[in-house]
C-alpha cells in the first residue's frame, strides 16, 4: 500500500467513524428527549392555553404523529442540514445556533490558549526542578487550582477585578458606544474586521476574565500531564546522549524534550476543546455572555425539542471534529500512526 | 537553576507584568465612553437595563413570558393600560362594554402612529386580535373569549366575544397592537413569527435599533403620542443572569438599572447608587390538589397552613422584602376580603393531624430547585413539619413538566410550591384562572366548589366594577375557608439604579417595573 493510499484510508476511516458517531448521537438524543416527561405542545402553547389551543399546537408541530415517523422526518431534515424550527421562538434553530456559537467558540479558543500558556512553562520548570519543597508546593497549588469550582472562581475573580479593583469589565462582550457590524458573531474578530482596534481591545478585555476562569482548571490538568511526560522523556537515551554531548539546556528542552512530551497534551487539547463548549455555560452565566450553553439550557427548560437536538448535535460535531483534527495532527507528527493504519 | 532558563523566566514574568499594567491602564481609559466631548451627556441620556433569562423572541404573541414582555412593553402599545390599579386609555381614547358584556366598542386616538410613520387604525387592531387567535399560542390565553372584530371606520372597532367576559377589558392591557401592513408583508409561511423574532412592528415609546446576542438597543420614538423628553434617548436591554454580576456592573457604570440582592445595598449606596423595591409583587404560594392524593383531606391542608414559619421565612429568605399573605391573591391587588394574616401554630397543626388520624404521616411536595429562594422555603417547611412529627419529602420538578401535569386532576402534584403574579392588576383574572373549575389547564388546585364557580361566573358577566369586586371578594373568602391553597407572602424585588433615574414606582400591567416609564436626569 502506498503512503497516499494509506493516508486516504486513514482519513476515510476517521470520517466514516465520525459520521457514524453523529448518527448515533442524533438517534440517542431524539429518543431520550421523547422519553423525558413533559408535553412540548403544552409548553409551546403557553401557561394559560386552553385544552383546544394545546391540541392545535400539537397538531401543528406534528407531535401527534407516531414517534417512528417523527424520527424519520427528523433524520430527513438533518441530511439536508435543516435543524428545524424552534417551538418556543418559531425561528430557525440553525440561525439561533449560528447567532451564539461564535461567541462560545471565541471564548473556548482563548481559554485553551491560556491554559497551554500557563501549563506548559510551569510544567517544564517543575520537571526540571522535580525535587524539593518548592516543587511539592507547586504541585499542591496546581491540584487546588484544578479543583476550584468554575462558578465560584468566576464570582470571586469578578468581585475582585471588576468591583473592588476595577481592572476588567464585569459582563458582556463589548462596551456600550462601540458600533461594530456583526459579521462572524465573535466580538474580537468582528472588531478587527471592521478596522476598529479600540473596539477589539475592549472585546479582549471582556473576554479575558471568563476565558481565564475556564482556563484555570484545564491548566491544572494540562500541567500534571505535561510534567509527567517531560519527566519520562528526560530519562530517554537520546536525551541523555544529547546532554552528554553538551547540548545547552534550553535547546535540549525546546528541540529534544518538548516535541516528544506534548503528544498527550495535544490529545488533551482536542478533548478539552469539545467539553469546554458545555462547561462554558457557567462562565457565560456569571459574565453575562450569550452562548451555546445557555441556548441549550433554555431549550431544555422549555422542552424545545428541536433546539435541544440541534444544540447537542452541533456540540457533538465540534467534539468529533476536534478528535479528528487531533488524529490528523498525530498522524502528521508521528509516522508510526500512519504505518499502523497501513498495516491493518 | 541554569542561568539561561532563569533569564528566560525573568523576561517572561516582566513581560507579563508589563502587559497587565498596560491592560489595566487601557481598561481604565476604554471603560468610559469612547468619544470625548458630550460623552457624559450621551451616557446620562442612555439607560442600560439588565434583565434575567432569555428573551426568546420579540413577537408580542409571546408576551405571556415575562422576559419577552420586558422588551416588548417598550416597543409596542396596548389599547389601554393600568395606573395605580386603575385602567387608563392608551391607543384607545375610549372603550365601553355592551350591556351583556359580549362586545367592547373601542375608539382609537387619532394621533397614534407606528414607528414607520403610518397611523394606528382599527384595521390594525382587528388584524392583531385575529392573528393572535390564529396562532393560538401565548398571550391569546388571556383573550380566550375573543371571537371576531368589526371595523366600523379608521378609529372605531368592535371586538366581539364568544361569551360574557368582564375580564376581557383588563386583558387588553396585555395585547400589543401590531402594524398590520408591515407584519402581513413579512408574514411568510408562519404568520410573521420568524420575522417578529427580531423585528419591531409597534407604536410604543421606543423603536428597535438592533437585536444581537441578547442585547436589544432601542431609541426613543419622537412621534409617540405620549412623548416625554425625560425618557432616555437610548434604552438598552442587556442580559445579565446573576444578581451579583448586575451589582458589579452597576458599580462599574455599565448597567443603570437591574435586580440586586439585599446584601449588595451597602456597596451600591457607597457608590452613590440607589436601591428601591419594585411596585406590585408576585405571590409565593403552595397549591394543594384538593381532589386527589393526600392533600385532598382538608385536615392536611389546614395543618400545613398552620405549620409554616411565615415571618421567619420572609425575614431570612427574602430579607423582609414583602408582606405575609392574608388571602388567596397577592396583597398588592385590590378587591380582596379582609382575612387574617397567615400565622404559625404548631400545636394546632399537630392537633389537626392527630384528630384526622394522620399523626406521623409522610407527605411529598414538588418545587422548582432552579429558584433558590423557593428551594429554601421548601426546606424550611420540611423543617417546620419535622417538629410535629411529619415527614415532608421534597421532589424537584421542571416547570414544563408541571404545566403538563395540570391537564389532569389526577396528575396534579399533591403539594406544589411556586411563585406567580396576576397577568394584569385585576383580582378576577387570578381567581378565575386558578380556582374556577372550568379552567381545566390552569386550575392548579384541581379545585371545584359550585358556590365559588357561581360567584366567579356571575362576576365575569358583570359590567359594573364595584359589583364584580364584591363578588370576587366573596369567592376568595370561600376559597380561603376551603384551604385550597397556602399563600406564603407577596414579595418584591430590589432594583439597584443610577441616582438620576425616576419612574421606578410605576407598575407594568403584569407587575414589576414599567420600564417604558423610566426617566433620566432627575
Amino acid at each position: 500500500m502506498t503512503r497516499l493510499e494509506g493516508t486516504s484510508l486513514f482519513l476515510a476511516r476517521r470520517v466514516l467513524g465520525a459520521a457514524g458517531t453523529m448518527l448515533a448521537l442524533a438517534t440517542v438524543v431524539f429518543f431520550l428527549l421523547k422519553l423525558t416527561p413533559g408535553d412540548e405542545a403544552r409548553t409551546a402553547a403557553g401557561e394559560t392555553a386552553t385544552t383546544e389551543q394545546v391540541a392545535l399546537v400539537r397538531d401543528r408541530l406534528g407531535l401527534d404523529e407516531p414517534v417512528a415517523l417523527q424520527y424519520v422526518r427528523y433524520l430527513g431534515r438533518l441530511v439536508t442540514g435543516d435543524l428545524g424550527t424552534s417551538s418556543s421562538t418559531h425561528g430557525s434553530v440553525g440561525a439561533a445556533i449560528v447567532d451564539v456559537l461564535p461567541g462560545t467558540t471565541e471564548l473556548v479558543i482563548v481559554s485553551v490558549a491560556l491554559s497551554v500558556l500557563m501549563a506548559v512553562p510551569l510544567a517544564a520548570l517543575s520537571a526540571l526542578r522535580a525535587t524539593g519543597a518548592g516543587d511539592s508546593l507547586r504541585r499542591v497549588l496546581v491540584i487546588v487550582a484544578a479543583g476550584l469550582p468554575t462558578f465560584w472562581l468566576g464570582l470571586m475573580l469578578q468581585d475582585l477585578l471588576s468591583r473592588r479593583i476595577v481592572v476588567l469589565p464585569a459582563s458582556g462582550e463589548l462596551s456600550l458606544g462601540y458600533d461594530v457590524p456583526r459579521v462572524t458573531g465573535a466580538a474580537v474578530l468582528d472588531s478587527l474586521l471592521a478596522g476598529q482596534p479600540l473596539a477589539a481591545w475592549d472585546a479582549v478585555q471582556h473576554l479575558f476574565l471568563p476565558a481565564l476562569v475556564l482556563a484555570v482548571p484545564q491548566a491544572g490538568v494540562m500541567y500534571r500531564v505535561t510534567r509527567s511526560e517531560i519527566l519520562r522523556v528526560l530519562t530517554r537515551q537520546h536525551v541523555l546522549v544529547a546532554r552528554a554531548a553538551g547540548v545547552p539546556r534550553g535547546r535540549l528542552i525546546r528541540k529534544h524534550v518538548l516535541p516528544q512530551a506534548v503528544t498527550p497534551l495535544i490529545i488533551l487539547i482536542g478533548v478539552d476543546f469539545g467539553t469546554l463548549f458545555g462547561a462554558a455555560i457557567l462562565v457565560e452565566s456569571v459574565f453575562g455572555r450569550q452562548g451555546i450553553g445557555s441556548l441549550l439550557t433554555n431549550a431544555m427548560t422549555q422542552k424545545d425539542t428541536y433546539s435541544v437536538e440541534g444544540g447537542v448535535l452541533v456540540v457533538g460535531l465540534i467534539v468529533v471534529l476536534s478528535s479528528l483534527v487531533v488524529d490528523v495532527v498525530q498522524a502528521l507528527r508521528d509516522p508510526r500512526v500512519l504505518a499502523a493504519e497501513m498495516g491493518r | 537553576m541554569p542561568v539561561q532558563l532563569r533569564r528566560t523566566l525573568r523576561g517572561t514574568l516582566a513581560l507579563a507584568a508589563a502587559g497587565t499594567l498596560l491592560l489595566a491602564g487601557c481598561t481604565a481609559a476604554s471603560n468610559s465612553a469612547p468619544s470625548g466631548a458630550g460623552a457624559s451627556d450621551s451616557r446620562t441620556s442612555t439607560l442600560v437595563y439588565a434583565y434575567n433569562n432569555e428573551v426568546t423572541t420579540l413577537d408580542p404573541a409571546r408576551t405571556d413570558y415575562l422576559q419577552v414582555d420586558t422588551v416588548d412593553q417598550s416597543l409596542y402599545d396596548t389599547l389601554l393600560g393600568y395606573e395605580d390599579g386603575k385602567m387608563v386609555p392608551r391607543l384607545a381614547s375610549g372603550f365601553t362594554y355592551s350591556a351583556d358584556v359580549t362586545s367592547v366598542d373601542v375608539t382609537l386616538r387619532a394621533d397614534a402612529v407606528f414607528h414607520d410613520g403610518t397611523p394606528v387604525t382599527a384595521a390594525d387592531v382587528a388584524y392583531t386580535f385575529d392573528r393572535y387567535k390564529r396562532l393560538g399560542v401565548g398571550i391569546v390565553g388571556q383573550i380566550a373569549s375573543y371571537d371576531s372584530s368589526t371595523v366600523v371606520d379608521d378609529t372605531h372597532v368592535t371586538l366581539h366575544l364568544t361569551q360574557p367576559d368582564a375580564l376581557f377589558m383588563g386583558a387588553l392591557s396585555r395585547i400589543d397592537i401590531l402594524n398590520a401592513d408591515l407584519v402581513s408583508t413579512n408574514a411568510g409561511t408562519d404568520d410573521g413569527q420568524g420575522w417578529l423574532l427580531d423585528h419591531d412592528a409597534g407604536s410604543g415609546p421606543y423603536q428597535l435599533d438592533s437585536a444581537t446576542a441578547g442585547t436589544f438597543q432601542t431609541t426613543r420614538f419622537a412621534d409617540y403620542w405620549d412623548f416625554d423628553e425625560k425618557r432616555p434617548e437610548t434604552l438598552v436591554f442587556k442580559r445579565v443572569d446573576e444578581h451579583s454580576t448586575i451589582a458589579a456592573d452597576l458599580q462599574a457604570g455599565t448597567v443603570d438599572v437591574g435586580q440586586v440582592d439585599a446584601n449588595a445595598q451597602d456597596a451600591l449606596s457607597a457608590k452613590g447608587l440607589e436601591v428601591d423595591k419594585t411596585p406590585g409583587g408576585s405571590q409565593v404560594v403552595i397549591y394543594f390538589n384538593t381532589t386527589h392524593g393526600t392533600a385532598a383531606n382538608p385536615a392536611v391542608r389546614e395543618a400545613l397552613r398552620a405549620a409554616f414559619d411565615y415571618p421567619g421565612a420572609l425575614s431570612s429568605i427574602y430579607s423582609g422584602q414583602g408582606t405575609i399573605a392574608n388571602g388567596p391573591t397577592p396583597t398588592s391587588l385590590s378587591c380582596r376580603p379582609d382575612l387574617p394574616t397567615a400565622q404559625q401554630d404548631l400545636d394546632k397543626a399537630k392537633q389537626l393531624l392527630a384528630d384526622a388520624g394522620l399523626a406521623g404521616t409522610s407527605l411529598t411536595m414538588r418545587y422548582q430547585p432552579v429558584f433558590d429562594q423557593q428551594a429554601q422555603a421548601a426546606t424550611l417547611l420540611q423543617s417546620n413539619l419535622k417538629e410535629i412529627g411529619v415527614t415532608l419529602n421534597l421532589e424537584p420538578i421542571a416547570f414544563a413538566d408541571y404545566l403538563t401535569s395540570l391537564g389532569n386532576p389526577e396528575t396534579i402534584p399533591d403539594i406544589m410550591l411556586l411563585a406567580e403574579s396576576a397577568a394584569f392588576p385585576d383580582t378576577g383574572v387570578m381567581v378565575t384562572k386558578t380556582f374556577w373549575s372550568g379552567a381545566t389547564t390552569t386550575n392548579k388546585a384541581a379545585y371545584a366548589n359550585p358556590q365559588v364557580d357561581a360567584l366567579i361566573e356571575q362576576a365575569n358577566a358583570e359590567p359594573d366594577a364595584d359589583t364584580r369586586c364584591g363578588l370576587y371578594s366573596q369567592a376568595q373568602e370561600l376559597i380561603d375557608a376551603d384551604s385550597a391553597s397556602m399563600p406564603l407572602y407577596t414579595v418584591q424585588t430590589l432594583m439597584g439604579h443610577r441616582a438620576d433615574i425616576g419612574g421606578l414606582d410605576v407598575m407594568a400591567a403584569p407587575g414589576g417595573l414599567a420600564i417604558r416609564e423610566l426617566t433620566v436626569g432627575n
Side-chain angles (χ1 to χ4, degrees):
Chain A
M1 189 186 287
T2 65
R3 187 177 170 84
L4 182 62
E5 285 169 347
T7 307
S8 303
L9 191 62
F10 171 82
L11 284 174
R13 280 190 177 140
R14 293 296 182 281
V15 169
L16 275 173
T21 304
M22 292 305 298
L23 177 62
L25 181 64
T27 304
V28 166
V29 167
F30 178 87
F31 284 105
L32 268 181
L33 281 169
K34 289 299 170 188
L35 286 172
T36 53
D39 182 354
E40 186 179 355
R42 180 70 172 88
T43 316
E47 189 181 342
T48 55
T50 62
T51 313
E52 293 75 25
Q53 287 165 347
V54 174
L56 187 67
V57 170
R58 185 172 291 109
D59 176 65
R60 193 179 297 152
L61 293 178
L63 295 171
D64 51 351
E65 292 176 339
V67 173
L69 185 57
Q70 291 181 47
Y71 173 65
V72 168
R73 288 195 201 282
Y74 160 65
L75 284 184
R77 286 198 328 274
L78 284 184
V79 164
T80 60
D82 178 11
L83 294 177
T85 302
S86 163
S87 62
S88 57
T89 71
H90 294 279
S92 156
V93 171
I97 291 173
V98 164
D99 198 36
V100 299
L101 191 62
T104 305
T105 306
E106 186 179 58
L107 176 64
V108 167
I109 288 174
V110 172
S111 172
V112 169
L114 280 176
S115 300
V116 172
L117 281 174
M118 287 190 288
V120 173
L122 207 56
L125 174 70
S126 185
L128 290 168
R129 306 268 298 184
T131 55
D135 183 57
S136 300
L137 181 64
R138 259 193 304 273
R139 281 158 57 198
V140 166
L141 285 174
V142 167
I143 288 168
V144 168
L148 289 175
T150 308
F151 195 79
W152 178 87
L153 183 64
L155 288 175
M156 291 300 109
L157 286 178
Q158 185 184 65
D159 186 59
L160 177 66
L161 298 174
S162 302
R163 195 180 71 81
R164 293 176 196 271
I165 318 164
V166 185
V167 176
L168 291 166
S171 72
E173 295 174 7
L174 206 60
S175 293
L176 198 64
Y178 288 110
D179 185 16
V180 173
R182 185 182 170 82
V183 176
T184 65
V188 177
L189 190 54
D190 283 348
S191 301
L192 291 171
L193 289 171
Q196 296 186 40
L198 282 182
W201 180 236
D202 183 79
V204 165
Q205 289 169 65
H206 280 82
L207 189 56
F208 183 76
L209 207 48
L212 180 66
V213 169
L214 258 187
V216 165
Q218 304 305 317
V221 177
M222 287 182 184
Y223 162 86
R224 281 156 53 202
V225 164
T226 308
R227 179 181 177 277
S228 299
E229 196 64 16
I230 290 173
L231 282 172
R232 201 172 64 82
V233 172
L234 279 173
T235 61
R236 285 205 183 137
Q237 271 204 331
H238 74 283
V239 174
L240 294 173
V241 167
R243 270 168 115 172
V247 173
R249 198 81 179 234
R251 195 173 167 206
L252 182 78
I253 300 296
R254 282 194 315 274
K255 291 236 183 251
H256 300 281
V257 177
L258 277 179
Q260 304 274 320
V262 295
T263 300
L265 179 65
I266 291 172
I267 296 169
L268 195 57
I269 288 172
V271 169
D272 266 355
F273 194 77
T275 55
L276 279 177
F277 274 84
I281 181 183
L282 293 174
V283 168
E284 286 164 353
S285 174
V286 171
F287 292 99
R289 298 178 67 92
Q290 293 280 286
I292 189 78
S294 60
L295 180 144
L296 272 171
T297 307
N298 282 314
M300 280 298 303
T301 53
Q302 301 277 339
K303 201 147 162 67
D304 186 347
T305 310
Y306 289 158
S307 292
V308 174
E309 288 165 356
V312 170
L313 284 176
V314 166
V315 174
L317 184 63
I318 289 168
V319 172
V320 163
L321 284 177
S322 62
S323 298
L324 187 59
V325 167
V326 165
D327 285 348
V328 169
V329 168
Q330 287 297 87
L332 288 172
R333 290 185 69 246
D334 190 347
R336 290 173 295 180
V337 172
L338 212 49
E341 195 67 35
M342 288 162 69
R344 283 198 204 177
Chain B
M1 183 191 295
V3 172
Q4 240 178 331
L5 195 55
R6 243 180 277 154
R7 275 202 209 119
T8 308
L9 271 171
R10 261 191 241 133
T12 308
L13 284 167
L15 206 61
T20 307
L21 284 170
L22 189 65
L23 190 78
C26 287
T27 302
S30 71
N31 263 354
S32 43
S35 54
S40 61
D41 284 344
S42 78
R43 187 62 186 91
T44 311
S45 67
T46 297
L47 193 155
V48 180
Y49 179 85
Y51 68 91
N52 313 130
N53 300 315
E54 187 182 12
V55 173
T56 51
T57 179
L58 294 181
D59 186 343
R62 298 317 314 239
T63 49
D64 54 323
Y65 286 117
L66 183 63
Q67 290 74 28
V68 177
D69 190 63
T70 294
V71 181
D72 275 358
Q73 58 163 280
S74 300
L75 301 176
Y76 291 87
D77 225 346
T78 51
L79 292 174
L80 53 88
Y82 275 90
E83 267 177 34
D84 297 326
K86 298 251 185 298
M87 271 188 228
V88 293
R90 277 201 185 154
L91 289 177
S93 58
F95 35 87
T96 50
Y97 269 121
S98 60
D100 60 357
V101 201
T102 58
S103 67
V104 179
D105 292 323
V106 177
T107 303
L108 296 174
R109 61 176 58 249
D111 57 345
V113 294
F114 288 110
H115 296 150
D116 65 355
T118 57
V120 177
T121 67
D124 296 301
V125 174
Y127 174 85
T128 299
F129 279 80
D130 289 341
R131 176 180 181 265
Y132 292 154
K133 185 180 174 186
R134 274 197 307 276
L135 291 176
V137 295
I139 203 64
V140 74
Q142 298 298 333
I143 50 168
S145 59
Y146 171 75
D147 183 35
S148 63
S149 304
T150 301
V151 174
V152 178
D153 56 39
D154 276 353
T155 56
H156 294 87
V157 61
T158 301
L159 305 171
H160 303 283
L161 311 180
T162 55
Q163 61 188 36
D165 185 0
L167 292 172
F168 186 81
M169 195 97 84
L172 296 182
S173 65
R174 297 299 311 280
I175 305 299
D176 293 330
I177 303 302
L178 297 163
N179 183 329
D181 285 341
L182 194 55
V183 178
S184 306
T185 304
N186 295 282
T189 56
D190 60 1
D191 222 338
Q193 293 178 92
W195 187 78
L196 284 169
L197 184 80
D198 51 8
H199 287 86
D200 156 24
S203 61
Y206 293 90
Q207 54 191 20
L208 184 70
D209 286 340
S210 65
T212 310
T215 297
F216 304 91
Q217 182 150 330
T218 68
T219 307
R220 191 176 64 194
F221 180 43
D223 293 330
Y224 183 55
W225 62 270
D226 191 27
F227 178 82
D228 183 351
E229 64 180 10
K230 297 212 80 178
R231 286 195 179 98
E233 285 176 21
T234 305
L235 174 60
V236 179
F237 296 88
K238 177 181 172 182
R239 180 181 174 185
V240 185
D241 286 349
E242 297 297 322
H243 296 167
S244 58
T245 307
I246 293 174
D249 271 326
L250 279 164
Q251 290 170 80
T254 48
V255 157
D256 301 311
V257 183
Q259 187 177 348
V260 296
D261 295 327
N263 56 18
Q265 271 185 284
D266 291 340
L268 293 175
S269 299
K271 285 271 185 171
L273 297 158
E274 294 180 5
V275 179
D276 288 301
K277 291 186 221 180
T278 52
S282 66
Q283 179 173 249
V284 181
V285 57
I286 292 174
Y287 282 108
F288 304 111
N289 187 331
T290 58
T291 55
H292 295 81
T294 48
N297 186 331
V300 169
R301 305 199 295 267
E302 286 177 48
L304 257 66
R305 280 164 60 123
F308 190 64
D309 178 10
Y310 298 88
L314 187 61
S315 158
S316 61
I317 300 172
Y318 289 92
S319 305
Q321 305 299 334
T323 49
I324 296 176
N326 67 337
T329 54
T331 53
S332 51
L333 292 178
S334 56
C335 297
R336 302 175 68 253
D338 187 18
L339 294 168
T341 304
Q343 279 185 343
Q344 184 183 40
D345 188 337
L346 286 174
D347 292 333
K348 177 185 172 187
K350 201 168 181 177
Q351 193 60 52
L352 281 164
L353 290 171
D355 292 346
L358 293 168
T361 192
S362 186
L363 304 167
T364 300
M365 182 167 83
R366 312 302 296 271
Y367 73 106
Q368 298 170 80
V370 67
F371 299 110
D372 184 50
Q373 287 164 325
Q374 289 179 36
Q376 290 178 52
T379 310
L380 178 59
L381 179 60
Q382 186 182 49
S383 165
N384 293 153
L385 287 173
K386 196 151 177 65
E387 290 182 59
I388 57 172
V390 173
T391 303
L392 182 68
N393 302 306
L394 300 178
E395 281 186 12
I397 186 170
F399 191 65
D401 302 334
Y402 176 61
L403 281 187
T404 305
S405 75
L406 293 178
N408 183 345
E410 290 181 29
T411 57
I412 293 175
D414 289 352
I415 310 170
M416 173 73 190
L417 170 71
L418 51 83
E420 59 179 10
S421 54
F424 46 93
D426 189 319
T427 312
V429 69
M430 275 195 95
V431 171
T432 307
K433 292 284 181 196
T434 313
F435 298 110
W436 179 52
S437 65
T440 47
T441 53
T442 55
N443 187 330
K444 297 183 176 78
Y447 182 67
N449 181 325
Q451 272 185 287
V452 170
D453 282 349
L455 286 166
I456 291 173
E457 286 157 15
Q458 188 184 346
N460 288 350
E462 173 56 59
D464 180 68
D466 290 334
T467 309
R468 281 199 305 120
C469 194
L471 292 167
Y472 288 136
S473 286
Q474 290 177 54
Q476 288 173 77
E477 284 177 338
L478 293 173
I479 292 164
D480 190 70
D482 281 342
S483 298
S485 65
M486 178 178 158
L488 304 186
Y489 18 73
T490 299
V491 293
Q492 293 164 299
T493 49
L494 290 177
M495 302 300 282
H497 63 93
R498 217 170 64 200
D500 70 300
I501 291 173
L504 285 124
D505 55 339
V506 181
M507 192 171 93
L513 213 51
I515 299 162
R516 56 187 277 152
E517 303 300 344
L518 293 176
T519 56
V520 295
N522 299 289

